[in-house]
């Protein structure tokens, strides 16, 4: 196993990792025999874990609009990419009819981020089943597996008492600055959406974050779904690749799809024209957002 992405995450937080047994041991990546354990597998550059975002048309699972796979890589990188995707689509609406400037976002991103980090951190990874995010026309659902820790009462959970399922994983998340021991994540969500945002059933914890949607937006999304169904094979290949590789450049897209650079540029222009693709940020540091 290699850990380039994991090392990069720690370096970005001011920690200088070393490819040594001492370093791996300090971060809980070794078992008692000095071999890499499942935590190491989670942090490795390549694994078989599926981390997906699924978008449905409507308010149930009858029609799937898009399924994007973010897994197969370091857990911290997958976590960051999914958080980045939802931050990029959390557009702000400005109400100019009010006497004061009123801005409304699609959802409270801080609550989503806390729910998503907690889902990855406190997930029961024993069965190698990763948490998932499902988006509907009226809500986002963040689902993790394993339920509450055995020793944690429900009141303690809502109060923010932190009982990590995997203490070594918590150490890693804290080092990478994705988590802290203040236990403010759940109270942040409760303060915004109430206790009803959480549900516990069948060994799962689900956090439901409502969307501030208007009817026009729902219609636009349905129309985009119809456009997707009429894409050519080459357009679908480009769209699907860019959905999973949001920081890729057009030459990388061309190499991955077997198309010419000129062909990819034309397809991207068409996807942007249909409102299915948008470029966020600069050419150097930006990302592609598929819709």
């Amino acid at each position: 196993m290699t850990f380039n992405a994991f090392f990069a995450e720690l370096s970005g937080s001011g920690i200088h990792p070393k490819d040594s047994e001492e370093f791996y041991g300090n971060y809980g990546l070794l078992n008692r025999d000095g071999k890499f354990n499942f935590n190491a597998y989670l942090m490795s550059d390549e694994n078989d874990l599926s981390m997906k975002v699924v978008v449905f048309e409507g308010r149930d699972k009858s029609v799937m609009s898009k399924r994007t796979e973010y897994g197969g890589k370091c857990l911290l990188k997958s976590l960051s990419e999914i958080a980045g995707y939802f931050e990029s689509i959390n557009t702000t609406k400005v109400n100019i009819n009010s006497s004061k400037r009123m801005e409304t976002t699609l959802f409270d991103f801080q609550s989503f981020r806390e729910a998503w980090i907690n889902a990855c951190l406190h997930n029961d990874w024993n069965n190698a089943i990763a948490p998932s995010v499902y988006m509907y026309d009226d809500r986002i659902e963040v689902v993790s597996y394993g339920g509450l820790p055995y020793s944690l009462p429900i009141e303690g959970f809502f109060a923010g008492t932190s009982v990590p399922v995997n203490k070594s994983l918590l150490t890693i998340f804290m080092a990478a600055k994705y988590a802290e021991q203040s236990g403010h994540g759940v109270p942040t969500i409760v303060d915004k959406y109430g206790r009803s945002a959480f549900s516990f059933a069948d060994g799962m914890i689900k956090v439901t974050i409502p969307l501030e949607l208007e009817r026009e937006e729902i219609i636009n999304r349905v129309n985009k779904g119809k456009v997707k169904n009429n894409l050519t094979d080459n357009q679908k290949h480009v769209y699907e690749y860019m959905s999973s590789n949001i920081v890729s450049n057009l030459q990388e897209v061309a190499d991955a799809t077997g198309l010419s650079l000129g062909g990819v540029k034309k397809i991207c222009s068409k996807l942007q024209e249909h409102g299915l693709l948008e470029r966020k940020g600069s050419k150097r540091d930006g990302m592609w957002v598929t819709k």
Side-chain angles (χ1 to χ4, degrees):
M1 290 187 285
T2 60
F3 302 93
N4 296 322
F6 176 49
F7 286 0
E9 289 279 352
L10 294 184
S11 295
S13 299
I15 297 173
H16 305 290
K18 296 181 180 180
D19 185 15
S20 66
E21 184 173 342
E22 180 182 6
F23 171 81
Y24 295 129
N26 289 340
Y27 284 90
L29 304 184
L30 302 177
N31 60 23
R32 294 179 180 178
D33 298 324
K35 305 294 184 181
F36 285 130
N37 58 21
F38 195 75
N39 280 347
Y41 186 63
L42 291 176
M43 295 301 130
S44 63
D45 291 323
E46 295 184 19
N47 55 53
D48 293 327
L49 297 173
S50 175
M51 300 278 285
K52 61 182 180 292
V53 173
V54 183
V55 180
F56 296 97
E57 291 184 11
R59 302 184 178 184
D60 56 37
K61 293 184 176 180
S62 58
V63 180
M64 184 173 66
S65 173
K66 182 173 71 171
R67 181 186 185 279
T68 307
E69 177 62 57
Y70 290 91
K73 65 192 76 169
C74 173
L75 172 61
L76 297 180
K77 187 173 182 180
S78 296
L79 182 161
S80 179
E81 288 183 354
I82 291 177
Y85 168 74
F86 278 94
E87 185 175 22
S88 71
I89 67 171
N90 192 27
T91 55
T92 300
K93 304 174 191 176
V94 179
N95 182 3
I96 60 176
N97 295 321
S98 173
S99 59
K100 295 182 179 180
R101 178 185 173 92
M102 302 292 290
E103 294 186 353
T104 303
T105 54
L106 194 59
F107 56 91
D108 182 58
F109 177 72
Q110 184 62 30
S111 294
F112 170 81
R113 187 176 187 276
E114 293 295 341
W116 177 233
I117 289 175
N118 281 345
C120 293
L121 174 59
H122 299 296
N123 189 64
D124 182 357
W125 290 98
N126 288 324
N127 294 318
I129 300 176
S132 301
V133 185
Y134 303 100
M135 187 172 186
Y136 305 84
D137 279 343
D138 62 338
R139 68 194 187 278
I140 298 170
E141 293 180 352
V142 180
V143 179
S144 58
Y145 302 90
L148 292 177
Y150 180 75
S151 61
L152 182 62
I154 191 69
E155 289 301 323
F157 172 83
F158 283 119
T161 303
S162 180
V163 180
V165 175
N166 187 328
K167 292 183 179 180
S168 296
L169 198 58
L170 175 61
T171 298
I172 292 171
F173 272 54
M174 290 177 63
K177 301 190 185 305
Y178 283 103
E180 53 188 42
Q181 287 186 311
S182 64
H184 73 283
V186 171
T188 295
I189 300 168
V190 171
D191 182 62
K192 183 67 178 180
Y193 296 113
R195 291 190 176 193
S196 61
F198 292 85
S199 61
F200 310 88
D202 302 324
M204 298 186 297
I205 297 179
K206 180 171 68 178
V207 181
T208 301
I209 298 176
L211 300 181
E212 300 293 336
L213 279 176
E214 296 177 358
R215 178 63 181 168
E216 181 181 354
E217 290 175 276
I218 297 176
I219 294 174
N220 286 339
R221 286 178 58 187
V222 172
N223 289 338
K224 287 177 182 177
K226 293 178 180 178
V227 172
K228 291 176 190 176
N229 292 333
N230 294 321
L231 294 177
T232 66
D233 288 341
N234 286 342
Q235 289 171 339
K236 288 179 181 178
H237 290 157
V238 171
Y239 180 83
E240 290 170 358
Y241 180 82
M242 298 181 85
S243 295
S244 301
N245 300 272
I246 59 178
V247 296
S248 58
N249 59 49
L250 295 186
Q251 184 61 60
E252 291 171 338
V253 178
D255 293 340
T257 58
L259 302 172
S260 67
L261 180 59
V264 169
K265 289 181 178 179
K266 290 181 180 179
I267 289 174
C268 288
S269 295
K270 183 62 69 173
L271 293 176
Q272 289 174 307
E273 179 183 325
H274 288 312
L276 299 179
L277 182 66
E278 183 180 356
R279 182 69 179 180
K280 295 281 189 178
S282 67
K283 290 184 178 180
R284 180 179 179 182
D285 301 320
M287 66 173 64
W288 293 102
V289 178
T290 53
K291 302 179 179 181

